[in-house]
Amino acid sequence: MNKEQASKKIESLIELLNQYGYEYYVLDNPTVPDSEYDQKLRELQQLEQDFPDLVMENSPTQRIGGAPLASFQKVTHNIPMLSLGNAFNEQDLRDFARRASNGTDQPISFVCELKIDGLAISLTYENGKFVRGATRGDGTIGEDITSNLKTIRSIPLSIKEEGTLEVRGEAYMPHKSFLALNEQREKNEEEPFANPRNAAAGSLRQLDPKIAAKRNLDIFLYGVGEWENSDLTSHSEHLARLKELGFKTNKEWKKCNTIEEVIDYVNYWTEHRNDLSYEIDGIVIKVDSLDQQDELGFTAKSPRWAIAYKFPAEEAMTTLRDIELSIGRTGVVTPTAILDPVRVAGTTVQRASLHNEDLIREQDIRIGDKVVIKKAGDIIPKVVRSVVEQRNGDEEGFHMPEECPACGNELVRLEEEVALRCINPNCPAQLMEGLIHFVSRNAMNIDGLGEKVIIQLFQENLVQTMADLYRLDKEELLQLERMAEKSVTNLLEAIEKSKENSLERLLFGLGIRFIGAKAAKTLAMEFETIENLQKATYEDILAIDEIGDKMADSIVQYFAEEKVTELLNSLRELGVQMEYKGPRKSEQATDSVFSGKTVVLTGKMEKFSRKEAKEIIESLGGTVTGSVSKKTDIVIAGEDAGSKLDKAEKLGIDVWSEQQLEDVVGK
Ligand code: IVH
C-alpha cells in the first residue's frame, strides 16, 4: 500500500470507528459486535505504525496518549463558569419562578434537567477539533485536563462545526464503574471512594491519563459557554443541536410551561432518582429563552435565570445488630454501629460511627433497634435515631466497658473529653493502629502493607514496633496466608524504598499527637533532620509560624520518652534515613488551592482538629473566618454541620468534605 492509499484507508477507518464509538458510547446502541470494532481498530493501529506521520488527532488510538504530566496547566475561562443558587422546597421554586416572571415581560418557559452529581467540565472545539478540556476550578481559572478527558469515550475528538464552540457539562462515574472501582480498591487494600462524585474528581485529577482511562468515566453536556457561529435562540435548541453534533446529552430533560409542571418533574425524580444508573443530587431549572436569560442576567455568584433544586438528604431504616468497639491510634475507644446492609444515597452502609457513650445514651440507642440512617453531607453515614415504636422488648441497652477490650487496662476519661481512652502505651490495639498509620499513604507509604497484612503480621508476632517492619525477611513473610513469592518480593522492595523517604513522612508516620501531615512538613522543612528536632526546645518549636503550643508541647514530650529514642536508634541502624529532601523553605510554591481564598470550617472534624485544619489552610495562603457570607469561597463541613452549611448551600458556595481537605493536603 502506498502512502496515498494508506491515508485514504486511515481516514475511512477513523470515520467508521468513530461512528461505532458514537453508537456505543453516546447512543448506548452498538450496531456491530465488539470483535468487529477490535478488528478494525487493529487494522488502523497497524497502518499508523507503518505510516507514523499519518496519525490523525481524531483517531481513536489517540485517546490514551501522552506521558504522565508533572502538573496541570491553568486555563482561564473566557466566560466564567458560575454555579447556581439553590432551592430546597416547593416554596423556593415558586419564589424563583416569580422573580423570573417579574424580570421579563413575556411568559416564561423552563427547561428542567437532572442535576448530575459529578464535576463541571468545559470542552473547547476549534474548527471542529477538540482542543482543550478543563475543570471549573474557581469559576474563572480551572485546570487543563485535556488528556484525561480524551479518555472519556463519549467525548467526540472532532465534530462538524466551524469556529469556536465551548460546551459545558458534568463528568461523572456511573454506579457500575463506581462499584467495580471500589471493589478493586478494597482488594488492593486502598481506601474506597466515598461516592461517585469523589471518584470522578479523583480520577480526573490524576496526572497520568492511563489511570483516568481505566476508570470508565462518562459525561453529559448541558450547556454552552461560547458559540461563535450559532443563531439559536433557546436552551432547548442548544440541547438538541449539541445532540446532533454528536455530544452526549441527558435524555430526561423536559420543557415546562408552568411552575406546576416544574414541581411535578421535581417530584417525579425525587421518587425515581434511584432508578438511574448514575447519581443525581437534584434538578436544574433553566429559563428556556436566551433573550430572557440575557434580560434576567446574573447576581454576583449565579444566574437569575436558573436554579438548582437539591434533593433532601436520603434516609433509610435498618436494624442495629451490634455495637463494636474500636481503639484508635491514640487510645480513643469509639463505638461503631454494625448494621444490616442498607442502601442510602447510592452506597451500601453497614457500619456507622456512634461517636461516644453519651450520644448513645442521650439518643437511647439499643442493640436490636430499628434505626434511621442518614448520610451527613451525603458522605459519612450516621445513625439519626432509633425507631422506638418498633421495639419488641428484646432490645438491649449498651454500656461502655470499664476496661480496654484489647488489653484490659482501665479506660479513663481525660479532662474536657467525652471520649474514653486506653492510656496503656503497650496496648496491642493501639500499637497495631499505630503501625497501620505508619505505613499509610501520607506517611511512609509502603505499598502492599494494607491493614489486613499489618494485622496478620502483628498477630503472628512478626511485627510489634515500627522498627520490626524493617527486620522482616522473605522466609517469615512467605509463611503468611495469601502471601506468594511475587507479593513478598514486591512488599520487601516497597519497605526498602520507604527507607529513602523524606523526613516529613517519618515524622507524620510516628503518630505524634497533634502532628498531622502538614505540621510534619513544616517541621521537616524547618529542622531538616530529626536530630535537630530532637534537640529543639519548646520555645524553638513554638517560634515556628505554623506551630502552636499544643503541638510544641506534644513534640517535646514525645522526644523525651526513652522508648522513642530507642525506636529512632533502631530505625536509623536499620537504614531508615531521617533527613528532609523536599524544596527548601525559600523555594516553597506560593500558589495553592487556598491562596487568596476565604474558608469557613464547620461541623465536627474527625481527622483534623479545628486548629490543625486552620493552620494548614493558612499555611497554604488561605484565610479562615468564623461565619459564612458572600465573601466566603469554600466551606469545609465535618459531621453535624448545621446552619453554616445550610447558608453556604443557599449562597451556592463550594462545600468540601473533610476527605477533600485531606486529599488536597495529602497532595
Ligand atoms: S447548569 C450557570 N445543568 O451543578 C451554571 N449544572 O451549581 C450552569 N450540574 O456547577 C450550570 N447537572 O457542575 C447545570 N444539568 C445541569 C447540571 C449542572 C449538574 C452541576 C454543575 C454546576 C452545579 C450548579
Side-chain angles (χ1 to χ4, degrees), residues 571-630:
L571 286 171
R572 197 177 292 109
E573 275 162 26
L574 289 159
V576 178
Q577 79 87 36
M578 302 180 182
E579 280 178 24
Y580 177 61
K581 293 179 164 178
R584 303 288 119 180
K585 212 175 152 199
S586 52
E587 301 161 11
Q588 215 183 344
T590 48
D591 109 42
S592 89
V593 270
F594 292 121
S595 46
K597 295 281 162 70
T598 303
V599 184
V600 172
L601 301 168
T602 181
K604 263 186 251 137
M605 303 252 173
E606 289 191 339
K607 295 178 182 147
F608 301 90
S609 68
R610 216 18 116 70
K611 187 153 179 248
E612 214 173 29
K614 182 170 188 286
E615 282 171 355
I616 294 171
I617 293 161
E618 287 175 350
S619 71
L620 291 171
T623 311
V624 177
T625 61
S627 60
V628 176
S629 73
K630 277 188 185 161

Side-chain angles (χ1 to χ4, degrees), residues 559-578:
F559 285 115
E561 296 269 343
E562 201 171 313
K563 271 189 120 172
V564 169
T565 316
E566 274 168 29
L567 171 69
L568 292 175
N569 285 342
S570 306
L571 286 171
R572 197 177 292 109
E573 275 162 26
L574 289 159
V576 178
Q577 79 87 36
M578 302 180 182

Side-chain angles (χ1 to χ4, degrees), residues 80-86 112-121 136 168-171 220-223 235 250 281-286 298 301-303 305-308 310 652:
M81 292 180 77
L82 298 176
S83 62
L84 297 177
N86 291 324
C112 292
E113 292 169 24
L114 304 183
K115 184 170 184 304
I116 315 296
D117 200 8
L119 68 158
I121 294 296
R136 172 175 181 267
R168 293 173 178 183
E170 197 85 351
F220 284 122
L221 283 315
Y222 52 61
H235 177 67
N250 187 285
D281 60 341
I283 301 296
V284 179
I285 300 111
K286 302 172 184 173
F298 299 84
K301 285 221 165 228
S302 45
W305 45 264
I307 198 160
K310 289 275 188 80

